[in-house]
Structure formats: C-alpha cells, structure tokens
Amino acid sequence: MTVPDLDIAAAHAQAAIAAGTADAYDFAIVALAFSAKGNFAEADALFGRALALEPGNPSTLTSLAIHYRNQSRFRDAVLACDEAIGNYPDYPDAWLERGAILASGGSNEGARASFHKAAELAPQHPAAYAGLAALAAREGRHEDARRFADIALNLDPQNAVAINALASTHLAEGCPDGARDLLEPLVARLNVASLERSLAYSTLAGAHDKQSDYAAAFANYVSANADFVAIHEGSGSEQLDNTSFVDAIAEGLAATPVETWPTPTAAQPANAAERHIFLIGYPRSGTTLVENILASLPGVSALEERPTLAMTDQTFIAGNRDDIIHGINRFAGLDNDALHAHRQAYWDKVVAAGVPSAVACFVDMDPLKGTRLPFIARLFPDARILVMRRDPRDVVWSCFRTNFAMSSGTLEYTNLMRAARHYDALMRLTELALERLPLQYHIVQYHKIVQDFDDESAAMCAFAGLEWNESARNFDVTAKRRGVTTASTGQVHRGLYDGTKQWQPYAKFLEPVLPILQPWIEKFGYTEL
C-alpha cells in the first residue's frame, strides 16, 4: 500500500474508531499509518488493541511485522510473520512480508524461499516476483533478475521494485542508457520519499557515473540519501547517534587507567574455536573481500556483521553517554568468573548462527567492531585482530554512495561531512585501543591486497596462524557459495579488481571534508598513492 493510499485508509479507520464501530483492521491500519510516520509508541498501543480484538489475526500480525521492520527490529518482525504463518500457513501476505524483512536484514536464502512461497500461493501477486528480481540483481544473477522482473512488470507495469531490479541489471551489464530509460520516469512518478525512490536515485547516479557525468551522479546520490534520511531519521530518536556512541566509548577507554585493565587468563569455553580472528576496519574498506579470502581456506568458518557480543553490549554500552563511559570502567574491573560468562554468551551466539562448535578457525567480520576492542582485549586475549585500511577518501566516498540496509550506523553515511566525522571518530577510537590495550593486530591495506594478492594474503595468513594455499584465490567462488549479504556483494562476486582512487572524479565534492580526513590520509600512507 502506498503512503497516500495508507493515509486515506487510515482516515476512514480513524472515523470508525471515533464512532466506536472500529474492528481489528481499523486499529491496525491506523497503527501502520502512525508507524510509517515514525510514531512508534502510538502504533504499539493501537496494534495492542487490534490484537486484543482478534488474537492471531494474520493481517494484523503482518502489519505488526511491517511496523517492526520500520524500526529495523528484524527479529521481532520475522517472529510476527511466523506467528501469522503458524496460524494461517497459506496467507501469502505474511510470506511476502517475511521475504521483505529477511532481505532487509541480509538473509538472502530465507528471503528467497519466502518470496517463492508467496508466489506459489498468489501467482498473480507482482510483489513476490519483484522481490525475487531484487534479490537476483543484488547477487549478480542477471538472467534470474530479468526473468522475475519481467513477470512482475507483466502483472504491474509500474512496480517500482521490479523496475529498480531491471535497471540495476542493465547497469551491471554495461548499459547505463537502458538503466536511465527505466529510472528517469520512475523518479518523476514517485512523488514522496520511499526506499524504492531512494534506490532509483542511487542506481540513476550509478548510470550517470558510468557516463562520466559526475555532477549529475553526485546530485542523484544526494537525493537518494535525502530520501533514506526522511524515511529513517526518527527510528532511533531515543538513542545516541553513532558518532556520539563511538566518542563515548573512546572517552570511557581514555578515562580508564591502563593498570586497571589486567590481562586475564585465556581459558575459553568448550565450544570456542581453536583459532579466533576479528576482522575490523570501516565499511567499504575491504573487509568482505578479506573475509572471503580467509573463508576459502580449509577449516575456516566466518560470520559477517553479526551482534556476537550482544550480551556484553547490553550490559555495558547501552544507554546514554554517561552510561557508556561508566560501563567501560565497570567492564575493566570484571573478574575471571564474570568474564567467562560473557565469553560463553559470545561463543553460544556464534554457534547458534551456524558456526560449528569448536571449529578450527573462526573469523568474526564486522568493520565497526573496532568499537568493541576494549571487550575483545579482555575476553579474547589470544585472538588475532586484522585491521583493514583503505584510502580514507575512497572509504568515505564509497559509504556515501552505497545503498546500505538500515542499521545503527547507516545514517552516518548519508552526507559527506557526517560520514567523515564518523570515520574520524572510529579511527581515533581504534588507534587509542591499539595503543593502550594488549591486542595482537596486523594492518591489511586494501590496495596491497588487490595489487599484490599472493604476498599480502600470505602475510595476513601467517599472522593469523593459517596456512596459505591457492584456494585463497577462489574467494569469489566462496562468496557465491556462502551468500554474501553485505553491500559489497557485487564487488566480491566479480573476483579480484582494483577499486582504488574511485574518489578522484568527485574530488571537488570531497574538498569540504578533507581537513577531517587529511590526518588519516597521511597517517595511513595514502598521500602519494
């Protein structure tokens, strides 16, 4: 349902509520309208009234799932869909929404299965085919993307998701004119901010980039990010923005005397991996590439961007700035028994995510886990830390131009100044942690990996205690087999290519943020590259 249609339906439903004649649908549709505008507390109350009238109603539960997805509460959203499906297994809208939620959260296999089930139950429903087309386009399966997009557009010639998927396929196949022919009418028709319009602007920017029209590309990236902000800005209004969160952790670490940060014994739970690697850096710095290089080696299992330290996070860095600063100090004083509980929770989370218990080697890849280095130093003193570095200009530019799923840090990338400040905050925290904490770390530079693959990947493996072999070169095959869910899906599927200096055509747009980035450009050795 479009926003205008939702507003019209909600107006009728509010009239029924005022007249005392409302049913569960009326309360749910008004709740969904509140949710779409970011009024989540009002929506919660109305969904409660709807479910009190008709417990288990699949339409209400599916709307509730959309409400949770609006807040990036993906687990709760899937559970609401699962409850609806448990009550009514043949309810196609619940399967469709389940697919959309899983796709938003990066769970492509589950999303694909849900969309297929929705299409089976409602073969005339274009959204299921559009969802399959979008997944295929994201994964570089161009033939499937075209096939499913064509089905969706035969059913609904104006389906924005299918148009975006088809345009992305044109662009990936080197046909920017074809992408523009599809997208320019779409953005003209979509007159309110939406994820579909945001993606259309972003793909249209990519088409202009391919045609070397960099001013038009930049303008469209700005529009894409403006829509993303308009949709999501209020969803975390009660939380610190991510830059302030990073700064609070750094302040807590700086305020904790080094002598109060003892190195604990390294005893790990029985289900812990024999070798343990954290892969950090910054989004778009090359972490997905390196993760799949490592995952190509025998005996190595990896997870990408999972909240593996959830229990520790909730205990010590939830809340406001003062809570976080105090939480870092409290964590530094934990004894070994308390630390063991947090280690156990971590490894239980890893195993629950599908990593074999006591695997030979586990790689925890999360570019933003530099924020957790204070925890890692005490919980896992034997872990090896791989720190990705890439030209800060390429990193910040790539974050600005990339379509990310909504997460705690995503809004920081929606304008160049905000992205540069966030990058600076995380680099300051990472450098402080590497300087003050007993960490075993190795710097991996993106440009060296892509320009001297064998030597650089072998050095990385030697540090991590892994034996390098030629299977490391097959990381693109590994990525396709594993199913990459980060924003780097398209790049890592292409195999090894040199993505350095992508910022240069946009140098004039980066000028305002260079005073923030220049110290890191110099420190990391990118002045002359």
Side-chain angles (χ1 to χ4, degrees):
M1 186 180 294
T2 65
V3 172
D5 289 342
L6 179 60
D7 287 341
I8 293 169
H12 288 296
Q14 283 177 317
I17 292 172
T21 59
D23 58 15
Y25 173 83
D26 293 318
F27 283 109
I29 205 69
V30 175
L32 200 55
F34 275 123
S35 180
K37 293 177 172 62
N39 297 325
F40 300 130
E42 293 90 338
D44 284 337
L46 288 163
F47 275 120
R49 295 183 70 178
L51 288 169
L53 285 172
E54 291 186 39
N57 181 292
S59 175
T60 300
L61 287 168
T62 303
S63 296
L64 179 62
I66 296 171
H67 168 56
Y68 288 145
R69 178 158 60 94
N70 288 342
Q71 302 168 75
S72 299
R73 293 169 59 184
F74 298 129
R75 181 177 184 276
D76 291 335
V78 170
L79 289 174
C81 287
D82 287 348
E83 184 178 351
I85 291 166
N87 295 334
Y88 295 89
D90 293 338
Y91 188 69
D93 286 355
W95 285 105
L96 181 63
E97 177 57 24
R98 190 176 191 272
I101 295 158
L102 292 172
S104 296
S107 300
N108 290 8
E109 285 300 320
R112 187 177 299 107
S114 294
F115 284 137
H116 274 298
K117 184 65 175 179
E120 174 191 321
L121 293 170
Q124 298 306 306
H125 202 319
Y129 301 106
L132 289 167
L135 281 176
R138 181 193 302 176
E139 295 171 338
R141 295 182 290 106
H142 304 318
E143 184 177 340
D144 284 345
R146 287 179 179 280
R147 177 164 60 90
F148 288 123
D150 285 345
I151 296 172
L153 292 171
N154 282 332
L155 294 168
D156 174 13
Q158 294 190 323
N159 187 283
V161 175
I163 292 170
N164 273 321
L166 196 55
S168 295
T169 298
H170 278 305
L171 189 57
E173 293 178 336
C175 184
D177 285 339
R180 287 182 61 179
D181 288 345
L182 288 165
L183 293 170
E184 286 171 349
L186 178 62
V187 297
R189 174 167 57 84
L190 298 175
N191 55 12
V192 295
S194 65
L195 289 176
E196 290 80 12
R197 193 174 75 170
S198 178
L199 179 57
Y201 275 130
S202 183
T203 309
L204 187 56
H208 285 294
D209 178 87
K210 292 293 185 186
Q211 297 172 323
S212 301
D213 188 351
Y214 301 119
F218 183 76
N220 278 286
Y221 285 129
V222 169
S223 295
N225 285 328
D227 271 10
F228 191 88
V229 171
I231 297 161
H232 293 296
E233 186 73 78
S235 63
S237 58
E238 296 180 0
Q239 302 174 352
L240 288 175
D241 65 80
N242 204 257
T243 300
S244 298
F245 171 76
V246 174
D247 283 340
I249 293 174
E251 191 171 345
L253 177 57
T256 304
V258 175
E259 58 270 18
T260 67
W261 208 277
T263 301
T265 59
Q268 296 291 326
N271 58 350
E274 294 177 31
R275 292 188 180 276
H276 190 191
I277 300 168
F278 286 93
L279 175 53
I280 66 171
Y282 199 81
R284 312 299 294 161
S285 64
T287 49
T288 299
L289 168 63
V290 169
E291 177 203 4
N292 282 282
I293 293 170
L294 295 172
S296 299
L297 299 173
V300 178
S301 293
L303 284 177
E304 55 184 28
E305 300 184 17
R306 297 293 185 91
T308 47
L309 284 160
M311 172 180 160
T312 313
D313 291 349
Q314 292 162 7
T315 305
F316 297 105
I317 54 173
N320 60 33
R321 171 185 166 276
D322 290 340
D323 293 332
I324 293 168
I325 294 170
H326 180 58
I328 296 295
N329 184 264
R330 286 191 297 116
F331 177 78
L334 292 185
D335 61 22
N336 275 321
D337 287 342
L339 290 171
H340 183 77
H342 286 273
R343 291 188 191 111
Q344 186 68 66
Y346 172 90
W347 287 111
D348 288 348
K349 193 88 171 174
V350 169
V351 172
V355 173
S357 179
V359 69
C361 180
F362 169 60
V363 179
D364 189 333
M365 188 284 274
D366 188 337
L368 296 180
K369 230 164 216 158
T371 54
R372 274 56 171 188
L373 287 174
F375 299 155
I376 292 167
R378 296 207 71 211
L379 293 175
F380 313 109
D382 296 325
R384 303 299 172 94
I385 318 296
L386 294 175
V387 184
M388 286 299 306
R389 295 282 187 244
R390 186 184 181 191
D391 187 326
R393 292 161 293 192
D394 270 330
V395 171
V396 167
W397 172 249
S398 187
C399 284
F400 171 77
R401 69 185 291 185
T402 296
N403 279 107
F404 291 99
M406 180 59 185
S407 68
S408 60
T410 304
L411 289 172
E412 305 296 351
Y413 316 134
T414 52
N415 72 58
L416 288 171
M417 185 61 69
R418 190 169 177 179
R421 287 171 175 159
H422 184 262
Y423 178 87
D424 175 62
L426 186 57
M427 293 306 102
R428 284 186 285 106
L429 170 58
T430 303
E431 292 298 301
L432 177 66
L434 296 179
E435 175 187 332
R436 301 195 76 208
L437 300 176
L439 294 163
Q440 303 177 72
Y441 69 92
H442 174 76
I443 304 298
V444 183
Q445 291 185 295
Y446 169 81
H447 72 281
K448 290 184 178 180
I449 283 283
V450 298
Q451 294 169 8
D452 188 8
F453 182 85
D454 284 2
D455 285 349
E456 291 301 319
S457 60
M460 174 180 71
C461 289
F463 165 78
L466 298 172
E467 184 175 347
W468 186 94
N469 63 53
E470 293 186 358
S471 64
R473 297 177 186 145
N474 299 325
F475 65 86
D476 54 332
V477 177
T478 300
K480 292 172 183 175
R481 172 178 54 80
R482 295 177 65 230
V484 175
T485 60
T486 71
S488 300
T489 300
Q491 292 91 334
V492 77
H493 282 178
R494 288 164 56 182
L496 195 66
Y497 81 105
D498 191 342
T500 59
K501 299 184 180 181
Q502 294 183 3
W503 64 273
Q504 287 186 335
Y506 299 91
K508 71 176 183 179
F509 301 111
L510 284 161
E511 286 177 4
V513 304
L514 283 182
I516 298 172
L517 299 181
Q518 193 62 39
W520 301 111
I521 294 169
E522 295 173 4
K523 183 177 180 64
F524 297 156
Y526 290 99
T527 304
E528 302 300 328
L529 295 179

